[in-house]
Amino acid sequence: MTFASKYGPWALVAGASDGVGAAFALGLAERGVNVVLLARRQGVLNRVAAEIESRTSAQTRTVAIDLARPDAAAAVAHATGDVEIGCLVYCAGADPDFKPFLANPIEAAEAMVQRNCMVPMQLCHHFAPAMVERGRGGIVIFGSGAGLAGGPNMVAYGASKAFDMVFAEALWAELHDQGVDVLGLILGKTDTPALRQLEHSRGQLGSPDDVPSGATAVDDVIAEAFENLAHGPTWMVGADLRAATQMMGSLTRNQLVRLMAQASAAAMGADHPE
Ligand SMILES: NC(=O)c1ccc[n+]([C@@H]2O[C@H](COP(=O)([O-])OP(=O)(O)OC[C@H]3O[C@@H](n4cnc5c(N)ncnc54)[C@H](OP(=O)(O)O)[C@@H]3O)[C@@H](O)[C@H]2O)c1
């Protein structure tokens, strides 16, 4: 079976306007799969679509939806009702804030859970039955090292990413022997526009044109993702994250959380919190 006959004819990439999502969409198009590109910024989506169409023979469609909206999943279902989605890639989203839980109104955490947990779960429930019926398809859900243990300044974010990882693992357990590949793609620090913006706003990066120190390149993430699409349930991206995960296995949960607190304090340029 070719890549396109396994994962096509269309893929939906949620979070496709820049960084890893846009690169993932291009990678799918290069492999012969048409792509629905979804994010909030219509103008940026148009540019990504034009680039994909100029570099590949795949078709594209752009859909501007805020995935934090309560009706987002229904809006996505409506926007894709006339195409056969053989692959769902849920890349949105990171946390542009990195603030203490109590520094924001509860609505910020609720929106995070809506975008990172509710909507991917609803979209899997919407798209997976047809994949199972066809006996083929793929689902990729982005996780984060922040989901491996709780840490300050990413309370709801880290918890949402833990949900995503366990959700993908469990869905893999139910679907992989029915022909549907499910992969929880866990990223460490990655050189995306969102990360550059965050580090620049915190004064850690002189210019948004600089590469954040220690960040994995988007192309390397995408190469590992395509290599491991069928090797779920979980893939830790990058040698650094794989080494860190191995080291974490030797710690107790309490030690791990203290370590996350230290790392967070270092990232904020603050003194150790204890
Ligand atoms: N970068 C890292 O260091 C890092 C580390 C670990 C894990 N990750 C994971 O990798 C994924 C991508 O992260 P990223 O750094 O590229 O940042 P991001 O903020 O998730 O941006 C990725 C895409 O998501 C879209 N998006 C964000 N919020 C959205 C919303 N409410 N509705 C619709 N689309 C939305 C953005 O486009 P619009 O702004 O146009 O909506 C963009 O196209 C995330 O799942 C993140 O958790 C990243």
Side-chain angles (χ1 to χ4, degrees):
M1 200 183 289
T2 64
F3 186 94
S5 58
K6 167 88 184 172
Y7 299 113
W10 283 84
L12 166 64
V13 181
S17 63
D18 63 23
V20 263
F24 210 120
L26 175 63
L28 288 163
E30 285 170 339
R31 289 163 175 79
V33 177
N34 303 316
V35 212
V36 180
L37 305 160
L38 187 152
R40 289 164 300 184
R41 293 168 295 163
Q42 183 66 61
V44 192
L45 284 174
N46 292 346
R47 288 200 286 281
V48 174
E51 190 185 344
I52 289 175
E53 293 203 356
S54 73
R55 291 175 58 174
T56 73
S57 53
Q59 298 172 57
T60 64
R61 171 181 295 187
T62 59
V63 180
I65 290 175
D66 183 348
L67 293 164
R69 269 171 38 189
D71 63 344
V76 176
H78 181 71
T80 54
D82 60 333
V83 291
E84 185 179 311
I85 300 291
C87 185
L88 166 66
V89 178
Y90 202 93
C91 174
D95 181 2
D97 210 25
F98 204 69
K99 295 259 168 57
F101 181 58
L102 298 181
N104 282 320
I106 189 60
E107 286 77 10
E110 289 170 347
M112 178 72 68
V113 170
Q114 175 69 14
R115 184 196 61 181
N116 283 9
C117 306
M118 288 296 283
V119 177
M121 181 176 70
Q122 290 164 334
L123 292 182
C124 287
H125 198 265
H126 175 72
F127 289 115
M131 295 181 193
V132 169
E133 200 160 306
R134 291 177 212 125
R136 59 183 175 77
I139 295 173
V140 180
I141 300 178
F142 277 64
S144 167
L148 301 176
N153 299 309
M154 42 190 190
V155 170
Y157 173 66
S160 77
K161 290 292 164 178
F163 176 97
D164 288 337
M165 185 174 70
V166 175
F167 179 79
E169 288 172 352
L171 198 60
W172 174 90
E174 293 193 357
L175 301 188
H176 83 282
D177 62 356
Q178 302 187 66
V180 181
D181 296 329
V182 182
L183 181 68
L185 189 69
I186 314 302
L187 270 57
K189 191 172 176 181
T190 304
D191 181 18
T192 62
L195 181 74
R196 288 186 185 200
Q197 202 53 51
L198 177 66
E199 291 212 344
H200 181 55
S201 70
R202 281 199 234 145
Q204 292 170 306
L205 211 55
S207 148
D209 294 331
D210 295 341
V211 175
S213 101
T216 305
V218 164
D219 284 352
D220 295 341
V221 171
I222 295 306
E224 286 196 23
F226 279 105
E227 243 166 64
N228 293 286
L229 218 48
H231 305 142
T234 304
W235 181 254
M236 302 282 169
V237 176
D240 287 353
L241 184 61
R242 289 193 285 278
T245 311
Q246 231 174 4
M247 180 276 292
M248 286 174 176
S250 65
L251 301 177
T252 66
R253 292 295 300 176
N254 289 0
Q255 288 171 327
L256 201 46
V257 172
R258 286 194 168 80
L259 196 66
M260 291 293 267
Q262 284 170 17
S264 173
M268 295 297 281
D271 292 335
H272 188 278
E274 291 177 331

